[in-house]
């Protein structure tokens, strides 16, 4: 593991983000805008249902950005180099794919952290909701679990992109939203139909969002939810790494990796 | 004697199922010496690109071994990749970022100890200082080529793989690029594996060439050696009169020929027969006003191979 190579990819990510309005929009403006929209929905719902339930929506939307931004950073990060025909140049350097994935995870987590801080500040300023009311330890556990899940999800998408090329590139920014309803981001799992509830509890973020809702009523540390989410994350991560390894190996065997750049 | 920096043995790549699949590269073996420029040539689909992809580790071979600097590539990949580099007309750097930013990223990927100093050295060598902060996308084709070369030289490689580095460049920039390659080779004792479809430039810079056809090596020699295996040359004679006498003579000598109008004849013959032919025709009283001998070139070798006549070049 080389710190210098990880630093190289972090710099690469920073330079691309700095020069790309699309990236700034996708991981900055759009998430903050969503938080604002859902914040106003919260104000409306607070009048109808009471503030705790209304805050489910706002806090769910703020924390959802951790998954959204981190997985986007991992999965879309590689596409910038595919589109620029630069991916070969990176992979013929001595970088290992562990270093590569770790770099994108760090980069995604940093971006997610910045957006969460900004989103939290906006929600305090506009909607008078202080996310710190969930408790610092809780927030840290939620952040780590959600970022962990996003890493696993991101590398599954990355494996698919390496194996099947840009024809499935829309998965990089779109597939996560397909699973969003199952993770009970802004509503309790209990409102889902029974079969979907079982499915929902297979995803680590479901426990995090349930814990978040519990924290809104009682800010004590939600260890049980966080520990279950963490263990599920480990299982999910092992599967994701094995899947990525298989796809990466297969991609190089069938020549797809070299054809990624067209 | 120069040591071998790259050794390829029985390298094979099959795509698809074992039966009914497609063999892109079929048991090729070759070596490249230190400081040598080795051309890897062949028509489209011959297996050049797949070979380069395997040599870079981005496509996994089905069989065979690749050895860089005496070490197995796949067992020592990071070490080998640290000592080689690659440039191609078909790969570019990150277009959204500047020349400086691109080079800074790659110098860190190659763990260069003083990246800024290294980049500035290359910038001076390539006379690119005024373009440092320009985005890669905004560079001209020639400037991009120079930037690609800078990236390829960041780690002071001992081997550079160049996949058609002059493709899509205008003749002036292509010539400057070739001069640059010649200069780099002289200055740094680089070994270069070079692919191109431009035979004059291959003849100009390659010490040896390997011709691939349908995934196999069909010829392997110096450019001069390969053209010498080409038996025939074309003699173009322009004359004043006596067309009939010339025709009669050439038929008698069993020469292949064709007339172009009433005063020009093209004779395809053995290079060694040319002096005798001219002497005999002069003896017929023919007044020759112009003589042109077209010797075989690497282009002719390429065309023969591309047209399925590679057996002509096999050494006995």
């Amino acid at each position: 593991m080389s710190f210098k190579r990880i630093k190289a990819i972090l710099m690469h990510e920073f330079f691309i983000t700095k020069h790309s309005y699309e990236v700034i929009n996708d991981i900055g403006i759009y998430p903050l805008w969503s938080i604002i929209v859902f914040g106003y929905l919260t104000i409306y719902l607070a009048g109808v249902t009471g503030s705790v339930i209304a805050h489910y929506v706002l806090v769910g939307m703020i924390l959802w950005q951790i998954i959204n931004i981190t997985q986007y950073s991992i999965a879309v990060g590689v596409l910038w180099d595919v589109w620029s025909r630069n991916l070969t140049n990176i992979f013929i350097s001595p970088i290992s794919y562990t270093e590569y994935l770790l770099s994108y995870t760090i980069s995604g987590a940093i971006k997610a952290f910045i957006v969460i801080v900004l989103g939290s500040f906006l929600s305090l300023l506009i909607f008078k909701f202080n996310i710190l009311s969930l408790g610092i330890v809780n927030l840290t556990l939620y952040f780590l679990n959600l970022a962990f899940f996003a890493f696993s999800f991101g590398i599954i998408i990355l494996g698919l992109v390496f194996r099947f090329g840009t024809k499935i590139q829309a998965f990089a920014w779109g597939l996560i939203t397909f699973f969003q309803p199952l993770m009970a981001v802004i509503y309790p799992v209990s409102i889902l139909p029974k079969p979907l509830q079982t499915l929902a509890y297979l995803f680590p973020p479901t426990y995090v969002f349930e814990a978040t809702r519990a924290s809104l009523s009682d800010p004590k540390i939600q260890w049980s939810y966080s520990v279950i989410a963490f263990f599920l994350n480990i299982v999910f991560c092992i599967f994701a790494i094995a899947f990525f390894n298989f796809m990466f190996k297969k991609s190089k065997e069938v020549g797809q990796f070299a054809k990624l750049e067209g | 004697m120069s040591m071998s920096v790259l050794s390829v043995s029985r390298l094979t790549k099959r795509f698809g199922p074992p039966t009914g699949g497609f063999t892109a590269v079929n048991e090729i073996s070759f070596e490249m010496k230190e400081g040598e420029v080795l051309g890897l040539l062949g028509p489209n689909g011959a297996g050049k690109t797949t070979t380069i992809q395997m040599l870079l580790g981005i496509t996994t071979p089905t069989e065979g071994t690749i050895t860089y600097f005496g070490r197995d590539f796949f067992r020592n990949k990071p070490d080998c990749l640290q000592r080689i580099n690659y440039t191609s007309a078909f790969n570019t750097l990150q277009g959204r970022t500047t020349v400086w930013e691109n080079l800074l990223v790659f110098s860190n990927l190659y763990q260069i100890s003083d990246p800024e100093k290294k980049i500035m050295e290359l910038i001076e060598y390539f006379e690119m200082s005024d373009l440092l902060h320009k985005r890669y996308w905004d560079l001209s084709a020639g400037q991009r080529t120079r930037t690609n070369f800078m990236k390829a030289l960041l780690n002071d490689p001992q081997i550079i793989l160049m996949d058609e580095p002059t493709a899509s460049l205008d003749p002036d920039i292509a010539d400057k690029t070739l001069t640059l390659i010649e200069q780099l080779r002289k200055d740094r004792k680089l070994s270069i594996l070079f692919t191109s479809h431009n035979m004059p430039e291959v003849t100009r810079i390659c010490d040896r060439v390997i011709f691939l056809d349908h995934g196999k090596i069909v010829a392997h020699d110096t450019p001069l050696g390969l053209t010498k295996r080409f038996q025939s040359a074309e003699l173009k004679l322009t004359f004043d009169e006596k067309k009939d006498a010339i025709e009669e003579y050439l038929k008698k000598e069993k020469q292949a020929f064709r007339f172009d109008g009433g005063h020009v004849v093209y004779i395809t013959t053995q290079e060694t027969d040319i002096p005798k032919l001219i002497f005999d025709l002069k003896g017929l009283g023919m007044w020759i006003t112009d003589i042109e001998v077209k010797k075989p070139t690497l282009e002719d070798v390429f065309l023969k191979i591309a047209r399925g006549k590679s057996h002509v070049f096999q050494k006995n």
Side-chain angles (χ1 to χ4, degrees), chain A residues 182-196:
Chain A
L182 282 175
M183 296 179 202
V185 178
I186 54 174
Y187 44 74
V189 178
S190 57
I191 70 153
L192 289 170
K194 273 279 175 221
L196 288 186

Side-chain angles (χ1 to χ4, degrees), chain A residues 88 90-95 252, chain B residues 5-9 11 50-61 63-86 110 159 161:
Chain A
T88 299
I90 289 178
F91 274 90
I92 58 142
S93 78
I95 193 166
K252 294 212 281 188
Chain B
V5 288
L6 167 64
S7 172
V8 171
S9 174
L11 191 66
T50 307
T51 302
I52 289 211
Q53 287 164 357
M54 289 190 283
L55 292 176
L56 291 169
I58 55 171
T59 293
T60 313
E63 280 164 38
T65 57
I66 298 168
T67 310
Y68 283 109
F69 319 108
R71 305 176 77 186
D72 181 81
F73 179 41
F74 292 99
R75 286 189 190 154
N76 302 278
K77 214 169 162 189
D79 294 338
C80 294
L81 289 173
Q82 183 65 43
R83 296 166 71 183
I84 68 174
N85 215 314
Y86 166 71
Y110 285 100
I159 298 176
L161 311 182

Side-chain angles (χ1 to χ4, degrees), chain A residues 4 19 22 84 253 261, chain B residues 13 91-92 96 101 112:
Chain A
K4 218 162 186 177
H19 291 288
E22 304 96 311
S84 256
E253 269 173 25
E261 293 170 358
Chain B
K13 182 65 196 175
N91 289 97
T92 57
R96 289 170 179 258
E101 289 165 346
I112 309 304

Side-chain angles (χ1 to χ4, degrees), chain A residues 146 182-184 189 192 197 199-211 213 225:
Chain A
L146 292 175
L182 282 175
M183 296 179 202
V189 178
L192 289 170
Q197 284 185 28
L199 204 55
Y201 281 121
L202 293 175
F203 292 98
T206 308
Y207 296 89
V208 175
F209 291 114
E210 288 284 85
R213 285 184 282 272
Y225 281 123

